[in-house]
Each structure stands twice: as structure tokens, then as C-alpha cells.
Amino acid sequence: MESDVAAIESDILTGYRNRFSRRNKFIDPVATVLGVRRRKDNHRSRDLALQRMERLFVLAEEAHRLHPERSKRYVQIARRISTRTRVRMPRSLKRLYCRHCGSYLSPENSRVRLSEGVMVTTCIFCNGQMRRPYKPRRE
């Protein structure tokens, strides 16, 4: 038992990679000896990413009539923010762009059909169809 601890401490102090880590990165010797994992504070970066994505979709909505290329670019930037920061885009924002061509979907740029619990949204630019389930109203 003591020899195992001494071997691990010598590996850490000499700079060898920890063979038990997932990505074979160097591990902080103090954190390993104390058994504490250090985490980044991701709350602020997550909130900032969500705010920026929402703001970009507001800008895309304002610009889609006069500048459809600009609104497409805003959607592209929002998607890039989502992937780079590893923050999921809210469902309400996901429904606002075409998954095939990336254009902003407004009532002028899309066609929505409801049939048997499935909402089919068709993009006017690329004719791509997005199918989403929904619960029909019971009367």
C-alpha cells in the first residue's frame, strides 16, 4: 500500500503522465495527492453564450426581410457559439432556422403543415423539411 502511494507520488513529481487519466493530460500534483478535482466556473460562460445566441436570433429576425444573407450569417454565428462553448441551443431557437441550409425561418420563408401529431416545416429556399412531434388539442 505504501509502495503504491510512493510510486504515484514519484510519478507525479517527476512529471510522468498519469496512466489512469482519460486523455493522458498532465494532472495537477496537489489536486491528485489531495484527491480534489478542480472545475472551471462554467455558469458565467454558459449564461453569456445563451444571451449572445438569443441576441443573434433577435438580430436575424430584424434583418431577414431586407438582408436574408445577413440573417443567415447571424444564425451561423449563433450555431458556432453553441458548438464552441458546448452549450445546447434552446428548443425555441432551434425551431427558428433550417437545418439543411441554415437560413432563418420566418412565416414568409417557411411553410408549416400539421398532420396526425407531426408538424412539418418546409424551408422555401432549399425545400428542406423538418419534422417535429406535437400534441394535438383534444376537444
Side-chain angles (χ1 to χ4, degrees):
M1 178 78 174
E2 291 179 18
S3 62
D4 293 337
V5 173
I8 291 172
E9 286 179 2
S10 67
D11 285 349
I12 290 170
L13 295 177
T14 55
Y16 287 103
R17 291 178 186 232
N18 186 350
R19 56 185 165 256
F20 300 111
S21 73
R22 281 178 55 194
R23 296 183 181 170
N24 291 331
K25 291 184 178 179
F26 285 106
I27 301 216
D28 186 10
V30 176
T32 306
V33 172
L34 297 176
V36 177
R37 290 181 100 183
R38 294 186 181 178
R39 282 189 161 176
K40 286 185 177 180
D41 184 25
N42 287 333
H43 298 291
R44 275 183 270 160
S45 62
R46 183 178 186 276
D47 291 342
L48 184 64
L50 286 172
Q51 288 173 6
R52 287 184 177 173
M53 283 189 280
E54 289 173 1
R55 177 69 180 142
L56 284 165
F57 272 95
V58 168
L59 290 172
E61 182 180 356
E62 293 170 359
H64 82 275
R65 285 189 183 160
L66 298 176
H67 307 284
E69 314 86 30
R70 189 179 298 171
S71 66
K72 189 173 181 175
R73 177 70 178 142
Y74 289 149
V75 170
Q76 185 181 19
I77 293 169
R79 290 178 71 188
R80 185 174 296 150
I81 288 172
S82 174
T83 55
R84 292 254 172 104
T85 59
R86 292 189 293 180
V87 174
R88 284 189 176 183
M89 190 177 291
R91 187 177 297 163
S92 60
L93 297 181
K94 279 185 189 179
R95 295 180 181 198
L96 294 177
Y97 70 90
C98 175
R99 293 192 179 195
H100 303 283
C101 66
S103 63
Y104 180 77
L105 292 178
S106 66
E108 297 93 24
N109 298 342
S110 63
R111 180 175 48 239
V112 179
R113 299 286 185 251
L114 304 175
S115 65
E116 298 178 6
V118 177
M119 179 176 67
V120 180
T121 307
T122 305
C123 176
I124 298 297
F125 295 118
C126 68
N127 288 328
Q129 292 183 341
M130 285 76 61
R131 292 176 176 87
R132 297 181 183 95
Y134 80 100
K135 293 183 180 178
R137 291 182 186 172
R138 293 184 183 183
E139 295 180 13

